[in-house]
Amino acid sequence: MHAARVHQAGGRFQVDTLARPKPRENDVVVAVKAAGVVPNLRNVMSNYGERAYLTVPELPAIYGLDAAGIVEDVGEMVSGIVPGDRVYINPGRSCGSCHACRSGDAINCPAYTFQGYFGFGPASQRIYKLYPYGGFSQYATAPASGLVKLPEQVSFEAAARFGYLGTAYSGLRKAGVGPGRTVLVNGASGTLGLGAVLLARAMGATSILGVARNRELLERVRAIDPARIHVLSAGDEPVGEWAHRLTGGVGVDAVLDTLGPGAPGQAMLDAITALRRGGRLVDVGGMNAPMQLNMHALMCAQVSLIGSLWFTVAEGEEMAAMAAAGTLDLSVLEHHRFPLGEVNEALALAEKRAGGFVNVVVMPSGQGE
């Protein structure tokens, strides 16, 4: 098979010929039809050396975080998954035997690792050796327990966006978003933010407030559902005053902050002022600027600040079901497709960060859908 591998830190991909993998007894082999291209990937691929803050696979490495395709082969202990099944590979891997894993809380495993991306500690290197195939490979192995079955209504290209969508969905669930609730999405025009808007709408949120900088992209977000989506270009009006005005002076039930590293801390502080008493802010973007918080004020208002990292296979199945039912509308995504041999060009396009509507995918095993 062919796979695009990086041979030096921060280097370009080159397509290599490798042996096609075979499944272990609890694994499957998936023919990858589409793999999402993460705009931050080059930074991750440069994270080698003494000052590395993430655990990345040893070089040469096959990257590619979000892969979707067709099951080709299954291990002898696998049940419920058969060749021909359409699946998304949830890349979250854990050791399977620590206290967190035994408690059904794999995301908090000390060895938690994203197959084809990065991990959170030295124990991730063992995970990479077990599952070395990222999405930029014609075939990838994965545990059968890590697969999300895809209905026909979800294309492989759309499924390659499930990493971002699932991150937003899990955060919205932790925030308690649902029917009768109001939510503010900070960074609503970005990849994470747009997914959050689409999911909040699918989950029945009564009012969705979106804040971002790009007015043109914000207007496209608002046009998805003008009756329920309200937008504000950052700086036009204080976020807290705007949110309270739109909610009759109460404030929003929840904030999902999707702003990434490099965003100013003040943007999150401003979003906190939009919350009602008892409201929750869930951070899924990883904004890393230091902030000065008035914890006494948060305590008195019973405001919660929550970090949310990823999503479970079960949450992925729920998203797939919403898409099949038509409540989660993924038709707004604009797919830009690249063959495996043009993965460097695909990454260059993703790095332009042209907004959440753009979905860049690599198709290692031929055309998607």
Side-chain angles (χ1 to χ4, degrees), residues 98-357:
C98 68
H99 175 72
C101 289
R102 296 196 311 274
S103 302
D105 188 23
I107 291 178
N108 286 320
C109 169
Y112 198 67
T113 304
F114 293 133
Q115 182 177 341
Y117 203 37
F118 64 79
F120 296 90
S124 292
Q125 290 300 344
R126 180 174 180 272
I127 305 293
Y128 289 130
K129 287 180 170 56
L130 292 172
Y131 297 102
Y133 307 102
F136 302 155
S137 179
Q138 286 184 312
Y139 296 91
T141 55
S145 60
L147 302 179
V148 173
K149 285 191 175 182
L150 297 175
E152 292 293 334
Q153 296 90 334
V154 179
S155 70
F156 293 125
E157 292 90 337
R161 189 68 168 263
F162 265 32
Y164 282 103
L165 289 165
T167 297
Y169 180 54
S170 189
L172 290 167
R173 293 185 72 226
K174 291 180 179 72
V177 172
R181 310 287 279 184
T182 57
V183 58
L184 185 148
V185 178
N186 211 15
S189 65
T191 308
L192 263 174
L194 176 63
V197 170
L198 297 175
L199 283 155
R201 182 170 177 256
M203 295 163 72
T206 302
S207 186
I208 304 163
L209 283 60
V211 179
R213 291 175 297 180
N214 190 306
R215 287 185 174 84
E216 181 180 350
L217 288 175
L218 276 173
E219 182 54 33
R220 291 185 63 186
V221 172
R222 188 193 69 82
I224 293 170
D225 191 345
R228 295 165 61 193
I229 300 173
H230 311 273
V231 297
L232 174 71
S233 179
D236 283 359
E237 182 179 351
V239 172
E241 293 180 11
W242 174 68
H244 280 78
R245 178 166 56 80
L246 292 181
T247 56
V250 175
V252 296
D253 297 297
V255 169
L256 192 78
D257 199 294
T258 71
L259 300 179
Q266 188 61 46
M268 184 180 289
L269 292 173
D270 291 344
I272 291 173
T273 66
L275 287 165
R276 65 164 174 82
R277 288 182 57 81
R280 301 176 187 175
L281 183 146
V282 179
D283 175 35
V284 297
M287 189 276 294
N288 60 359
M291 297 187 301
Q292 286 189 327
L293 291 170
N294 184 335
M295 292 307 300
H296 181 265
L298 297 184
M299 179 198 74
C300 291
Q302 294 199 114
V303 164
S304 301
L305 303 182
I306 303 168
S308 182
L309 174 67
W310 195 242
F311 66 105
T312 65
V313 170
E315 288 170 326
E317 296 271 356
E318 290 167 5
M319 290 194 307
M322 285 191 287
T327 55
L328 175 58
D329 182 7
L330 301 179
S331 66
V332 301
L333 299 179
E334 301 168 355
H335 305 303
H336 296 257
R337 305 169 178 88
F338 291 82
L340 185 62
E342 295 179 12
V343 62
N344 293 299
E345 291 79 2
L347 179 55
L349 176 59
E351 288 175 330
K352 292 182 177 179
R353 300 178 185 267
F357 292 94

Side-chain angles (χ1 to χ4, degrees), residues 21-24 27-30 89 115 130-133 139-143:
K22 297 179 180 180
R24 289 183 291 267
D27 291 347
V28 304
V29 175
V30 176
I89 300 175
Q115 182 177 341
L130 292 172
Y131 297 102
Y133 307 102
Y139 296 91
T141 55

